[in-house]
Amino acid sequence: MIIQLYKTINPEDLQSIFNTLESNQYSVTQVKTQFENYLVCIGKHDVDIRIIGHLKGVKDIHRVSDNYKLVSRKWKTENTKINLGDDVIIGNGNPSLMAGPCSIESEEQVSKIVSHLVKNNIKIMRGGAYKPRSSPYAFRGLGIDGLKMMHEQCKPYNIKIITEVMQASQIQDMIQYVDVFQVGARNSQNYNLLDALGEIDKPVMIKRGISGTIEELLNSAEYIFSKGNEKLLLCERGIRTFETIYRNTFDINAIQILKDKSHLPVIADPSHGIGIREYVPKLALASLMAGADGIIYEVHEKPEEALSDGQQTLNFIESEKLVQKTQLIKALL
Ligand code: PEP
Ligand code: MN
């Protein structure tokens, strides 16, 4: 059960709500986010919620049978929109495109990509500064210097930045350069990181874990929300299955299921989803047709020379064609 409280609720009224809940054997977590004041109530018994709904200070009350609560569609039927400023809004019915290299490599690389984004009216740049790599000997990113490079070149064009944060201690250094924090697949259940991201006022896109279930993804988002940050996006990026012929099994089913189970926007990552460049555009388009609010994909001037994930990275021509096709999809939808 979720109770939405009036922000102006006075301490006595709040205490009386707590007393009623506790006498009905609910355990209660109070959640204050950027926008709202909630009580998340977990109980074993079925209680007539009208007795609580009538209490002073209660704005609304909803039963939520899912084990995740705040991210559930069961209490919030309208879609959540994430406003990044400068009219860049995710989840407003227009597919959002996020594109950029797997890793930030150099000033020159960033500058080429920014020109490509500007030319194609892509408003959000992706690019890893802190890279989780399967081998410790692979390129692990330029760190904060890479992020600053990206920020400096995106700012004049109001291009928004999404980049991965790998540990809580990086958040404070990164925050002024970032518009959306990405939680990578490998960190999808790093609950200390999720807790820390719950304490900031910046959007977070959380990727599905490498072998993560849909419910686990929703519960990871619940961690962040329940700490106070409701600016959240979910990302399907493929999962590990018995199939080894492509990088991951891109679970296109998950897109609709996530949209159905949660009010949060859903972003598809076909680059990591299949890991094979020539199929990325088709899966990107399929994802939008399947209901994704946006796509995130990798692009580089010379994918064959990229320091990471070149095999799944589009070149500028391929990326431009994809952007044009997304316009057609927009018209179709
Ligand atoms: C990435 O976006 O470059 C990345 C490392 O993705 P994932 O966490 O999905 O593997
Ligand atoms: Mn990558």
Side-chain angles (χ1 to χ4, degrees):
M1 181 167 80
I2 291 178
I3 299 171
Q4 287 171 277
L5 301 172
Y6 285 107
K7 280 201 173 151
T8 50
I9 188 169
N10 67 47
E12 299 76 50
D13 290 340
L14 183 60
Q15 191 54 53
S16 126
I17 296 170
F18 264 95
N19 293 345
T20 309
L21 289 168
E22 275 156 20
S23 67
N24 283 287
Q25 285 152 16
Y26 279 102
S27 82
V28 186
T29 305
Q30 188 169 5
V31 175
K32 281 189 191 165
T33 70
Q34 301 97 332
F35 307 124
E36 291 264 2
N37 200 344
Y38 307 91
L39 298 177
V40 181
C41 313
I42 310 291
K44 289 194 191 75
H45 309 286
D46 216 13
V47 171
D48 181 354
I49 63 172
R50 284 171 301 185
I51 59 162
I52 301 155
H54 289 137
L55 296 174
K56 253 176 98 185
V58 173
K59 189 159 102 182
D60 213 342
I61 182 163
H62 320 261
R63 264 186 218 286
V64 180
S65 52
D66 299 321
N67 66 30
Y68 43 87
K69 306 286 177 193
L70 294 159
V71 304
S72 170
R73 174 81 80 183
K74 295 235 162 77
W75 73 275
K76 188 179 179 205
T77 49
E78 78 271 25
N79 293 321
T80 291
K81 297 184 184 72
I82 306 292
N83 190 341
L84 304 184
D86 300 311
D87 291 327
V88 183
I89 300 166
I90 302 166
N92 66 351
N94 279 328
S96 298
L97 304 188
M98 311 177 182
C102 180
S103 309
I104 299 301
E105 299 168 1
S106 67
E107 299 270 9
E108 197 203 342
Q109 176 225 28
V110 175
S111 144
K112 295 260 168 63
I113 289 170
V114 168
S115 306
H116 173 74
L117 302 183
V118 171
K119 182 174 170 217
N120 290 284
N121 201 26
I122 299 172
K123 308 280 194 198
I124 306 169
M125 178 168 173
R126 65 146 287 146
Y130 298 97
K131 295 302 304 175
R133 301 305 302 280
S134 301
S135 160
Y137 309 114
F139 176 61
R140 294 170 72 177
L142 298 180
I144 196 74
D145 294 337
L147 183 54
K148 285 181 185 168
M149 262 178 217
M150 196 174 171
H151 180 255
E152 217 156 85
Q153 300 202 49
C154 285
K155 204 171 163 47
Y157 302 101
N158 289 330
I159 292 179
K160 306 300 170 190
I161 290 177
I162 178 166
T163 194
E164 177 161 356
V165 58
M166 287 180 58
Q167 55 187 54
S169 61
Q170 293 163 345
I171 295 173
Q172 281 320 313
D173 290 342
M174 294 174 75
I175 197 160
Q176 60 175 308
Y177 307 112
V178 173
D179 297 290
V180 182
F181 280 104
Q182 173 178 319
V183 175
R186 292 157 189 80
N187 262 321
S188 198
Q189 290 183 301
N190 178 342
Y191 298 123
N192 293 324
L193 176 62
L194 302 180
D195 279 344
L197 290 166
E199 280 162 14
I200 60 170
D201 183 19
K202 277 273 164 137
V204 178
M205 182 180 85
I206 171 153
K207 287 191 161 196
R208 185 170 177 186
I210 286 180
S211 296
T213 65
I214 290 172
E215 269 210 16
E216 283 166 342
L217 174 59
L218 291 165
N219 269 303
S220 293
E222 185 82 12
Y223 261 85
I224 304 177
F225 201 143
S226 64
K227 284 285 177 188
N229 183 0
E230 57 179 283
K231 297 180 181 171
L232 297 171
L233 307 151
L234 305 169
C235 179
E236 167 57 40
R237 50 79 72 200
I239 45 172
R240 177 164 293 175
T241 67
F242 54 80
E243 187 52 74
T244 54
I245 208 155
Y246 32 70
R247 183 172 181 178
N248 289 301
T249 298
F250 186 52
D251 183 7
I252 209 156
N253 299 351
I255 296 169
Q256 261 312 304
I257 301 291
L258 287 168
K259 292 294 299 176
D260 191 43
K261 302 248 173 242
S262 174
H263 52 84
L264 298 174
V266 176
I267 305 297
D269 176 350
S271 305
H272 295 85
I274 191 160
I276 305 168
R277 187 196 307 167
E278 68 176 299
Y279 306 128
V280 168
K282 284 183 179 150
L283 287 183
L285 298 170
S287 305
L288 293 176
M289 288 306 292
D293 296 283
I295 46 178
I296 185 165
Y297 67 93
E298 292 178 335
V299 60
H300 192 288
E301 190 202 7
K302 295 180 184 141
E304 9 346 274
E305 290 173 23
L307 296 183
S308 57
D309 283 352
Q311 80 291 345
Q312 65 190 34
T313 298
L314 304 189
N315 62 33
F316 290 168
I317 296 167
E318 292 162 332
S319 167
E320 188 163 333
K321 279 193 192 147
L322 172 58
V323 174
Q324 286 161 2
K325 288 184 183 160
T326 63
Q327 294 301 322
L328 299 175
I329 299 260
K330 211 161 118 181
L332 264 180
L333 292 172

